[in-house]
Amino acid sequence: MPGCLQIDGLRFLDWEPISLEVSASEIVGITGDSGSGKSLLLRAVADLDEHAGEITLDGQACASIPAPQWRRKVAMLPAESRWWSETVGEHFVSKDSSLVEALGFGIDVFGWEVSRLSVGERQRLALARLLDRGPEFLLLDEPTANLDAGATQRVESVILASELPALWVSHDGAQLARVASRQFRMGARRLEEVVA
Amino acid sequence: MSVFAVVRLSVLDLALAGSLVVALAIATSVWKLGVAQTMLVAASRLVVQLLLVGLILKWVFDRADLVWVILIALLMLTVAGREVWVRPKRRLRGWWGFGIGTGAMFVSSFAVSVFGLAALVQADPWWSPQYAIPILGMLLGNTMTGVALSVDRLTAAAWDKREVIEARLMLGESGVTAIGDMGRDALRAGLMPVINSMAVAGVVSLPGMMTGQILAGNDPSDAVRYQILIWFLIAAGCGFGMLIAIRLTSKRLFDERDRLRLDRLRAG
């Protein structure tokens, strides 16, 4: 069963230490004003920024395995997706068609040119690209920020169908109420649980 | 073997040639380009530096002492290393930046020069300053330009496309892989001038060293052979130097946890 993430005394910049446990297949929502450091928290968990404290996945410490291997397990979806090759397909490893179909694309999407994608298409395909690599834990930074209602629903159901545990950053309180079992709020350099 | 006697240049000849530069400086100041002063300072530096080098070289050639050749070679390397370090718009902080460029040039230019001198030219002794200093100078000069150009490309790309690099890191790629495309682009950009120069040598441009030898009264076919040798050495020195510098700079842009560390760069 993938993913019990344990964050123990995580510190970055001058924040108060953060401790948090996400159990298998649980989604934890994180809200907060822009600039409150939500993305920084996800980056630290993905080991993209320097930090103190220990993070473990299924008992395996982040520092005990090479960083690329950690990031393949604990995968982060940034708010804005970036692409480097010409076609969509070049960014995928397994090219599993069921994934892109669930997000509303045809199998021909792998031949599309990245430069002709809309912002919303890019965002949905970035999620497909991430799940395609078989992660064990998701760090989602505003995964539906640029999407209309229909696309938002597709993305939510694809993430839920993956049954992967996640930290889900969103501005949309209603969305977090739908997908997350617990919610936390970032502000004033600390993370506080929101009691429903 | 000299085909004809060398025509010596008088001080008056040089002064007349210099007056052309003065005329150009006046023309640019009429057009308000604001470069007249810089140009005249540069022209004066050229005169002083070359006269000094002429004196030093004459002194070293007369002594033909290996210690002096090594000292001059190290001085040339240090100056070239500093140039490579400071020229890119964004450069690595601290000793790393200086060390990577200088180290890359030391390994490539020195090794290729020693190979060219000891195995190919085979003067007696092989390190004769008449051969060693000009050959090393040409290699260092070209390698310096190539390394500076390619490192500048790489650090500029890393700075501008940091989000692309981090997107690839987030997908579990190593730092070296994530910046790989940019490293290849940088190497291509650095190698292009070398390849182009070889392709048009003799057709569009007469290489400087060959021109010099011919003007100095040498047989053109001898001059051509030396020029071919020099170009091969330059291409090898330049190429391997860039490979080393790009590889090390790419590595230095990431830490041991494969995080992109742009804080290790600073603006020119």
Side-chain angles (χ1 to χ4, degrees):
Chain A
M1 193 68 196
C4 169
L5 186 87
Q6 201 148 13
I7 301 174
D8 196 10
L10 175 71
R11 298 183 67 136
F12 50 93
L13 300 179
D14 55 346
W15 284 63
E16 284 182 30
I18 291 171
S19 294
L20 184 65
E21 197 179 323
V22 185
S23 57
S25 71
E26 183 192 22
I27 292 179
V28 169
I30 294 172
T31 59
D33 302 328
S34 38
S36 63
K38 306 184 294 289
S39 302
L40 287 179
L41 171 64
L42 296 192
R43 286 176 60 95
V45 175
D47 204 9
L48 280 165
D49 288 331
E50 282 185 292
H51 57 81
E54 192 165 74
I55 310 168
T56 56
L57 183 73
D58 284 333
Q60 187 167 44
C62 169
S64 71
I65 56 173
Q69 200 184 328
W70 173 261
R71 292 184 199 123
R72 279 195 289 275
K73 290 170 186 279
V74 181
M76 174 165 174
L77 182 72
E80 264 186 72
S81 71
R82 300 286 162 173
W83 303 76
W84 51 93
S85 293
E86 224 163 285
T87 65
V88 171
E90 290 168 84
H91 299 83
F92 282 74
V93 177
S94 78
K95 297 195 184 152
D96 176 9
S97 62
S98 63
L99 205 53
V100 288
E101 277 162 5
L103 287 162
F105 297 95
I107 181 81
D108 60 321
V109 72
F110 292 124
W112 288 8
E113 272 177 47
V114 169
S115 57
R116 302 176 72 165
L117 299 174
S118 74
V119 179
E121 284 170 333
R122 278 181 207 212
Q123 194 161 13
R124 280 183 287 155
L125 286 169
L127 174 66
R129 176 175 84 175
L130 193 75
L131 293 174
D132 176 62
R133 285 167 167 77
E136 294 172 21
F137 191 95
L138 299 177
L139 302 166
L140 306 167
D141 195 353
E142 304 275 5
T144 63
N146 302 303
L147 303 180
D148 59 36
T152 298
Q153 209 220 317
R154 276 210 175 91
V155 165
E156 283 179 13
S157 55
V158 164
I159 295 171
L160 293 175
S162 76
E163 292 186 347
L164 291 170
L167 284 177
W168 187 319
V169 166
S170 177
H171 273 112
D172 183 351
Q175 176 176 59
L176 290 184
R178 277 197 301 277
V179 298
S181 54
R182 284 182 293 155
Q183 284 191 43
F184 288 81
R185 185 173 174 79
M186 290 210 94
R189 299 204 162 76
R190 47 193 306 212
L191 187 69
E192 277 181 345
E193 181 149 13
V194 179
V195 186
Chain B
M1 192 182 69
S2 281
V3 194
F4 44 62
V6 184
V7 182
R8 283 198 71 133
L9 294 176
S10 68
V11 176
L12 181 66
D13 296 332
L14 298 181
L16 283 175
S19 69
L20 291 176
V21 177
V22 175
L24 177 63
I26 293 169
T28 58
S29 71
V30 169
W31 279 81
K32 296 188 170 43
L33 296 184
V35 294
Q37 199 186 344
T38 324
M39 192 192 301
L40 290 176
V41 170
S44 313
R45 275 185 60 170
L46 168 86
V47 173
V48 175
Q49 285 165 197
L50 288 186
L51 285 178
L52 272 177
V53 164
L55 286 177
I56 294 171
L57 286 183
K58 189 165 164 35
W59 193 82
V60 174
F61 287 0
D62 288 346
R63 274 168 195 61
D65 187 344
L66 180 59
V67 174
W68 279 106
V69 176
I70 291 174
L71 278 179
I72 290 198
L74 288 179
L75 177 72
M76 288 159 75
L77 178 71
T78 313
V79 174
R82 208 197 86 89
E83 271 305 299
V84 164
W85 178 43
V86 300
R87 245 194 250 173
K89 193 171 158 225
R90 299 191 186 281
R91 60 185 205 237
L92 285 173
R93 281 173 198 277
W95 282 99
W96 276 96
F98 179 72
I100 286 176
T102 312
M105 284 192 297
F106 178 75
V107 172
S108 66
S109 292
F110 268 51
V112 170
S113 296
V114 168
F115 170 71
L117 290 164
L120 306 178
V121 177
Q122 291 183 312
D124 182 33
W126 67 268
W127 46 264
S128 295
Q130 285 91 330
Y131 292 90
I133 292 172
I135 286 182
L136 180 64
M138 277 185 283
L139 252 78
L140 276 179
N142 283 279
T143 308
M144 182 180 87
T145 312
V147 170
L149 180 67
S150 56
V151 170
D152 179 51
R153 274 288 184 109
L154 180 67
T155 53
W159 186 271
D160 294 339
K161 296 188 194 162
R162 63 176 91 187
E163 281 138 343
V164 170
I165 297 172
E166 291 204 316
R168 300 181 72 156
L169 293 179
M170 287 174 199
L171 291 172
E173 291 186 1
S174 70
V176 172
T177 312
I179 206 172
D181 289 342
M182 294 166 202
R184 276 185 286 279
D185 279 345
L187 279 175
R188 219 173 284 126
L191 282 170
M192 225 16 109
V194 181
I195 295 171
N196 286 343
S197 302
M198 284 200 287
V200 301
V203 186
V204 179
S205 66
L206 266 196
M209 187 197 86
M210 200 174 103
T211 314
Q213 274 192 311
I214 294 173
L215 283 178
N218 283 312
D219 186 337
S221 64
D222 277 341
V224 162
R225 286 186 190 195
Y226 265 95
Q227 191 62 54
I228 292 172
L229 176 80
I230 289 295
W231 263 117
F232 288 164
L233 297 183
I234 287 176
C238 236
F240 289 118
M242 278 187 266
L243 282 173
I244 296 167
I246 291 296
R247 177 82 198 176
L248 293 179
T249 307
S250 296
K251 267 196 98 74
R252 181 66 191 157
L253 286 172
F254 297 90
D255 64 15
E256 74 290 348
R257 296 298 295 169
D258 286 74
R259 304 180 188 115
L260 180 63
R261 293 294 299 272
L262 290 178
D263 57 308
R264 289 178 179 171
L265 290 179
R266 68 166 211 205

